[in-house]
Amino acid sequence: HYFIQSNLSMADIVKRVQVTGFTEYLKAVEQYKDSTLHLYALFTGSPDEHGNSWCPDCVKADPVIDAAFLNAPECSCLITVFVGDRGTWKNPDNTFRKSDLLKLKSVPTLIKVGTQKRLEEKQCANPGMVEMLLEED
């Protein structure tokens, strides 16, 4: 008898993808929607040259979301979508804001793609709310 020991953690089971901009977001959803059971998207402020987001709520939410995804359901994929710098995001004509598909009002916003499940701003830094969003239907 052979025994195969697996050291896979949930972190290995969650695919993480980073994209910038609306078009890249749409491509990522198209690419991953069929190969994953649970597709999530986190819309967040783009990092500056030092790797820090201009968005204070995004900075607070990142570690909470990272921790929650350690226990995400198997076959999950998190697409982190950078919405641009502060000026780009604040523009009322920003595609993320105007899109009928998303209608984003704030960053960070965490959604389960293809559902109405959505957390916005400070909700994304609430561990209990993030864990609830990740629960299987």
Side-chain angles (χ1 to χ4, degrees):
H1 291 84
Y2 290 98
F3 294 97
I4 299 172
Q5 182 176 357
S6 174
N7 291 330
L8 283 179
S9 68
M10 281 306 207
D12 298 321
I13 296 170
V14 176
K15 182 161 188 58
R16 290 173 171 260
V17 180
Q18 289 187 344
V19 299
T20 300
F22 189 75
T23 305
E24 292 301 313
Y25 164 69
L26 293 179
K27 284 183 191 170
V29 168
E30 196 58 38
Q31 182 175 351
Y32 295 105
K33 70 178 184 189
D34 295 329
S35 63
T36 184
L37 292 175
H38 309 281
L39 186 58
Y40 303 92
L42 171 64
F43 300 90
T44 188
S46 295
D48 61 18
E49 65 274 7
H50 306 292
N52 303 313
S53 174
W54 54 264
C55 163
D57 285 336
C58 299
V59 172
K60 287 181 193 139
D62 280 347
V64 173
I65 292 168
D66 284 344
F69 269 88
L70 292 175
N71 297 309
E74 284 188 41
C75 299
S76 291
C77 178
L78 173 62
I79 303 169
T80 299
V81 186
F82 297 115
V83 299
D85 60 22
R86 191 172 194 280
T88 302
W89 169 249
K90 294 292 185 183
N91 181 337
D93 289 329
N94 182 301
T95 312
F96 289 105
R97 293 176 179 277
K98 294 190 75 123
S99 158
D100 287 336
L101 181 67
L102 295 171
K103 294 184 178 124
L104 290 190
K105 297 181 196 76
S106 57
V107 289
T109 296
L110 178 64
I111 66 169
K112 183 167 185 184
V113 177
T115 73
Q116 297 299 310
K117 289 185 172 186
R118 169 184 297 237
L119 298 176
E120 297 175 330
E121 290 182 327
K122 291 180 179 24
Q123 294 175 329
C124 293
N126 179 320
M129 292 186 85
V130 175
E131 288 163 16
M132 258 185 357
L133 183 108
L134 298 182
E135 286 175 2
E136 298 186 55
D137 299 326

